[in-house]
Amino acid sequence: MIKTEKVLHLNSSKGRKVRVVREHYVREQVPCGSSLCQADCHNDGKVLSGDVTHYVVPDVGVVRDFLEILEFRELQGIVLTQTAYQTVQHTRGRRQYNRLRALLKDPRHDCVLFANEFQQYCYCPRDKGESQDKWHTRNVYNAAVWYYNHLAGLQPVVMITEDSDAISEFSALNSGVYVISTKEYLLSFWPDLQAAYDLYNSIAQTLQERESEGVEKVYTEHLPAEVLEAGIKSGRHIQGILSVNKHRAQLEAFVRYEGSVSKNTELNSDVLINGAKHRNRAVHGDVVVIDLLPRNEWKGRTMALTEGQGEEQPLEDTQSQPMPSGRVVGILQRNWRDYVATFPPLEAVQSQSRNSQKILVIPWDYRIPKIRISTQQAEALQNQRVIVRLDSWESTSVYPTGHCVRVLGKAGELETEIQTILVENCIHVPTFSEAQLREMPVNTEENPWQMDTSEISSRRDLRETHLVFSIDPKGCEDVDDTLSVRTLPGGKRLELGVHIADVTYFVREGSLTDLEARSRATSCYLADRRYDMLPAVLSADLCSLLGGVDRYAMSVLWELDAETLDVCTVWYGRTLIRSSYQLHYELAQSLLNGEEIEVPELSQLKGSQRDQKQAELLQALETLTRVARHLRAQRDKGGALELEGVEVRAQLDEEKNITALVPKQPLEVHETVAECMIYANHWVARKIQENFPHQALLRHHPPPKQEFFNHLIGSAKARGFSIDTRSNRALADSLEQAVDPQDPLVNKLMRMMATQAMSNALYFSTGACPEEQYYHYGLALDRYTHFTSPIRRYADVLVHRLLMAAIQLEEKGSLSKPFASNKELEELLLYQIFHCSKPQSTELFQCLYFRDKDSHTDERCVADAVIYAVRTNGFLAFVPQYGLKGAVYLKNREGQVVSVDGDGRCEWKAGILQRYPDRISTCTSTGTHIFDLFDHVTVRISVEPSRCHADSLCLELISNKPHCAVQPESQPAGRGRSELVQEVVRWAEEASLQAEEERGRKSKLSREEKQFRQSRTPNLYVLLQEISELALLDLSVCQIRNTEEQTCTASS
Amino acid sequence: MAGLELLSDQGYRLDGRKASELRKVQARTSVFAQADGSAYLEQGNTKALAVVYGPHETRGSRSKSLHDRAVINCQYSMATFSTAERKRRPHGDRKSSEMSLHLKQTFEAAVLTELYPRSQIDIYVKILQADGGNYSACVNAATLALVDAGIPMRDYVCACTAGFVEDTPLADLCHAEESGGGTSLALALLPRSGNIALLQMDARLHQDHLDALIEAAMTACKGLSKVLDGVVRQHLEEVSVLIRD
């Protein structure tokens, strides 16, 4: 090592310039990271492949401004210099730096970091008077030359730079090292990569524009980071995440505190940020720092309902009680993602501004402000949807500046809309690469997959001893869980078994498939296609616990006391199973109900043999039901909540048109299976938490904030019920009592309100959370995790690995390799959380259904609705028949209000509205009418199309009487209250299983369609469904199990 | 601006060292003729000058002297030009007094004070340029000065700092690494016996990591002791050549 010195000029804390001397050690041996290395460099980790035509060394400016181009996976052999890397760190924010780091870590990108400044022969000290940029470029060039020589000239090296002086200075110096501009590079080396070239132009243009910016300030400047940090510590500023009100995106935004805010007790609710000035360039999702405004400037939230888009006018008279208001003084972290935006039509473009090069595009998400884009292709792109990335938002600009990354296609087309939905939900799904597929085992007819004999001997063989069966929706392909139950010899004990697909056997940690699965996080189900987390050979075949074939499994086996059903012993481990029956829910339920029904697996057998087998199966199902009821009762005692979500299923006909929207019919067997899965998850959570107290992956559900219950308590009071929200137990009890015998919907609505008050369930690492926070509020369990769906959730794969490590730890006392530390786990989980929480898209379903119907003639567009909240100019209503919620206006744009005549029909007339806490009245010349909470009314449903956003539904009041054709809520007679409640629970559970529907539907696709993942009928596109881990529901849902059910009504 | 990355993904520190590598150490003894012993030491960019007077009769009041051993008197100061911004007060501030006390404790453990009852040994250390690890530079320089003065000691006292970043212990922190607010542990070791003369740590650290950190600091100290030993031997060679002439 040789010591040199670097002189830096830094700003001191007092703002003075300070001369700092830092040591700088250089050495001869710096790993080059290329597989062509001739000098035996110590290359560990990622290595550049040798079979590319050249290596490319981007200059500092290229990495800083054009990082997105380097992110193209097609570009290979990228050598990033430390000089460039550090410049990005110093000059660009943490976000870009982290992206660069992620790029370097991602094994799918062929790029390495070369620490050129620590290489003795690469580093050149800065000359006197040399500008920093020049010095950096010289360093990068030196590194490129060294790299070329180091590889003994085996690979030509191309340096790309944006600095034209450097090109002329260096290009002729060394043969084998070419210095060219980025543009030239893309054109000559990657002529096929049109996308990269377009992106280059787009960024370059944006950069140019930025230089010629105006100076007029629109917003106040943000405070510097140190001031913010000090302010937060001292309590002067408040830190939180900005969330914009979707319905009043330009006016209202709220900041929710992060962590506990105990210092200021009067601030127990969110803080309102009113107007764009106060929001000060923050975008939905950013972590912001706010100042509270003086009390006399506090505003209330607007209580009026607003109609769709359009510029909003602040209506002073419609505000609620003033609530704490604030303004944004700084932004700690930008959480910008890729946004889908639509180019305006040409007429609008021309009138838009003095400079037609700059165009305001409208994002698909209402909450995001319009984005200013510089482009010359405005004409070509009109009415197109594009992916836009935000670059900056200067205080001089009303709108943020961005650039166009990729064109998705024309708005309104099938492919475009599906891509839009994917991008907006941050789902990135390329096809599996060949390298990944090569890792997969083969299972074809000529070459069937066989089990390993050594594996067979190391696993517990349950094939002969246990009756294993699965219960899933019809047509399910990826069966991740199976069940078994039997009475142990002696009859004193029962053995309950949950057997989960052993995905981790096939997906080794760190393999390409593993990494791909990690970045996908979950399987993703769309109406006409599905994006698997794992390649199909695993998800639909080798991992899937299909009937009648031998499969590897991870099992949890409990020995229960036959009488009291208490747990005696638990066994965890790898097993070998053969599922005897692949049942579906309806079949299982019919068996339980004692109906005569044919079990397909037994259709070959004859007479008594068949009866015997069927009796065996029935016996198992009955025992299982008994156990599940017991488990449920135990959790209920602990205070498990029964929540309510809205869920409908779509019935489809042969052409995959929606023929009807029907609320789901829950069966008891759903709950039975779900309960077993909750139980397995719980016991696995206990096991891994005991073995890894600092690094186990669990899932907790924090108790909700009390103020979120205000709406529920207020509404309940209107009907004379009191709701106790002090604990989950109290809440569950009081919800159970709040039943209106005349109207079962009241209870359902209140449960829905309770659901809305819930916070989200989250993954966490036990090392990052004190033990008392492990509690799962919704399920009333002290520890909980996700274990039962490894085929379609990555978190479960992690838990499987943890469980295996825990078993190994207990058997051998040590681990063969250390498991991920707490910190790594946290990082992984953050990613998983981010990717798992996706917005609900049931609306899309509903829109599709109503789109083709004429709302004035079609009877199906008229439905019964229940009022569940009152606003100043209308009320919010719930339509149980279709499971949709929406606003109903009592006052239109002209200021007219709804008047009700004698037989209940409604008309628009001049009049006034009067709003009370629990009712709203209209007063017109014909008389006064009062709408109470929980009143039934009749509404007409129609679709309001939108060009830039998703279509939405609107409700129109027709009559204040319940709709005559009201289908009474399907209440099978003779059911007790508890069953009724159970049913309700199941509803909630299933609500999060939208995925199922997709699965069911998907199974109907023809073979060809499946293969190409293409749908032939384009009218389905809006039917996006996702496995919404929509966390509120999720709590009760342990069960994202492959309960795909139904929707197959049409196919059956 | 993103915060400083103390340890890159490839294992390099800010100045290009690996986690366990020390800064360059250079030293000379007998730099002043007036004093009984003196030494100049550079540890990276931290430069320290140490001077030893004694053992001699106790100065000042007699009451300070101890009947069974020598009193060690240490004084630490920093040159006004030692830091990036000029220091106002070269010595006598709270930090300097604390450092003086630490030095005193360190050397009371190492010097065979019982050989000189009722007498006093003065150690004066001055930091000429501060770039992290001031305490360890002082200890190392003072050791050399004591050796130069011919005062019997149990062993060399070697001191080094160690920090902890991303689960990796870093040896011999420079100023940029120290000022980040992370853990910094200063250790003075008697390398041959492995006894610890002084151990000091300011920031918080999880107990599980403490052993690893001490281990790293000890290794660094042992490395330093070799360098110091080399310096002393070289000096002896030079002197003995002179004497032979």
Side-chain angles (χ1 to χ4, degrees), chain A residues 13-118:
Chain A
S13 53
K14 285 171 196 153
R16 260 179 282 171
K17 279 266 184 223
V18 175
R19 189 183 137 102
V20 172
V21 185
R22 282 215 189 124
E23 289 172 279
H24 188 85
Y25 292 91
V26 293
R27 60 184 78 215
E28 258 185 76
Q29 287 288 330
V30 171
C32 64
S34 165
S35 55
L36 291 176
C37 180
Q38 307 292 307
D40 299 330
C41 281
H42 266 292
N43 289 322
D44 40 0
K46 225 165 101 177
V47 171
L48 281 189
S49 66
D51 54 354
V52 290
T53 54
H54 62 278
Y55 284 151
V56 54
V57 183
D59 189 16
V60 175
V62 177
V63 179
R64 191 179 52 206
D65 297 329
F66 297 96
L67 181 62
E68 286 162 54
I69 292 175
L70 302 178
E71 276 173 356
F72 274 89
R73 268 188 218 175
E74 286 84 355
L75 300 188
Q76 290 181 321
I78 302 173
V79 182
L80 283 168
T81 54
Q82 181 195 9
T83 316
Y85 184 72
Q86 284 176 345
T87 313
V88 170
Q89 188 186 1
H90 290 307
T91 58
R92 309 310 291 265
R94 188 169 291 160
R95 215 161 51 94
Q96 185 142 5
Y97 176 60
N98 283 341
R99 260 173 61 187
L100 183 57
R101 278 182 67 169
L103 183 72
L104 284 164
K105 271 189 193 153
D106 192 337
R108 292 167 294 181
H109 282 282
D110 195 25
C111 63
V112 290
L113 180 65
F114 170 54
N116 64 317
E117 297 200 358
F118 298 144

Side-chain angles (χ1 to χ4, degrees), chain A residues 333-585:
Chain A
Q333 198 186 350
R334 292 285 196 186
N335 284 328
W336 291 342
R337 55 183 171 89
D338 290 357
Y339 300 105
V340 174
T342 314
F343 268 89
L346 200 58
E347 321 81 76
V349 172
Q350 277 162 347
S351 64
Q352 209 169 56
S353 69
R354 51 200 184 278
N355 185 353
S356 66
Q357 304 261 300
K358 284 183 188 163
I359 291 177
L360 283 178
V361 295
I362 304 162
W364 192 78
D365 191 339
Y366 286 110
R367 296 168 298 193
I368 309 301
K370 288 179 188 164
I371 300 169
R372 202 164 58 146
I373 281 186
S374 311
T375 180
Q376 279 165 338
Q377 299 165 286
E379 271 178 50
L381 288 178
Q382 58 167 320
N383 278 326
Q384 302 268 330
R385 294 218 166 157
V386 293
I387 299 183
V388 175
R389 236 167 247 171
L390 289 178
D391 294 319
S392 64
W393 195 344
E394 304 302 331
S395 57
T396 51
S397 152
V398 182
Y399 294 108
T401 325
H403 65 266
C404 166
V405 180
R406 189 151 60 87
V407 180
L408 291 177
K410 214 160 180 57
E413 278 172 14
L414 166 70
E415 239 355 86
T416 315
E417 297 301 316
I418 287 185
Q419 288 302 323
T420 303
I421 288 163
L422 288 179
V423 171
E424 279 295 316
N425 290 320
C426 291
I427 303 166
H428 180 61
V429 274
T431 48
F432 288 99
S433 72
E434 267 184 39
Q436 283 155 2
L437 291 178
R438 242 178 281 142
E439 290 181 347
M440 293 294 102
V442 183
N443 188 21
T444 54
E445 296 210 348
E446 309 88 65
N447 190 5
W449 172 79
Q450 280 181 338
M451 289 203 276
D452 216 4
T453 41
S454 61
E455 272 298 319
I456 294 177
S457 58
S458 68
R459 285 164 181 266
R460 187 163 158 186
D461 194 340
L462 307 180
R463 284 177 294 182
E464 304 302 326
T465 51
H466 288 63
L467 174 75
V468 177
F469 54 91
S470 62
I471 308 178
D472 282 293
K474 263 184 202 161
C476 170
E477 274 185 356
D478 41 357
V479 184
D480 354 51
D481 50 316
T482 52
L483 295 159
S484 71
V485 66
R486 59 168 188 169
T487 313
L488 290 179
K492 287 261 174 66
R493 289 189 173 182
L494 278 181
E495 189 189 56
L496 173 67
V498 170
H499 315 279
I500 306 296
D502 192 358
V503 171
T504 50
Y505 171 77
F506 295 101
V507 182
R508 302 281 177 204
E509 191 170 3
S511 65
L512 292 175
T513 322
D514 183 43
L515 294 164
E516 188 63 38
R518 184 181 297 178
S519 65
R520 291 184 184 211
T522 57
S523 291
C524 168
Y525 300 89
L526 299 194
D528 55 347
R529 61 194 76 187
R530 124 186 116 157
Y531 296 102
D532 285 324
M533 186 179 86
L534 299 169
V537 64
L538 291 185
S539 61
D541 192 0
L542 293 179
C543 283
S544 180
L545 304 173
L546 303 170
V549 285
D550 294 349
R551 288 286 179 255
Y552 295 140
M554 289 279 272
S555 297
V556 185
L557 295 170
W558 297 268
E559 277 187 25
L560 308 171
D561 190 289
E563 292 301 313
T564 61
L565 296 179
D566 290 336
V567 176
C568 305
T569 54
V570 194
W571 183 86
Y572 307 86
R574 288 189 142 150
T575 52
L576 212 53
I577 62 160
R578 182 190 292 150
S579 171
S580 316
Y581 304 97
Q582 204 177 340
L583 306 175
H584 52 87
Y585 286 112

Side-chain angles (χ1 to χ4, degrees), chain B residues 173-234:
Chain B
L173 303 182
C174 70
H175 178 69
E177 289 165 334
E178 252 179 7
S179 56
T183 315
S184 164
L185 173 134
L187 175 84
L189 187 76
L190 305 177
R192 242 170 300 177
S193 61
N195 289 340
I196 292 174
L198 185 124
L199 181 74
Q200 187 209 359
M201 184 169 69
D202 296 331
R204 289 160 68 105
L205 181 78
H206 195 281
Q207 192 186 350
D208 294 356
H209 303 314
L210 185 63
D211 283 337
L213 192 55
I214 292 184
E215 189 55 42
M218 280 192 165
T219 320
C221 289
K222 282 175 186 156
L224 262 169
S225 80
K226 285 198 194 105
V227 179
L228 299 189
D229 196 46
V231 171
V232 171
R233 281 174 200 283
Q234 198 194 351

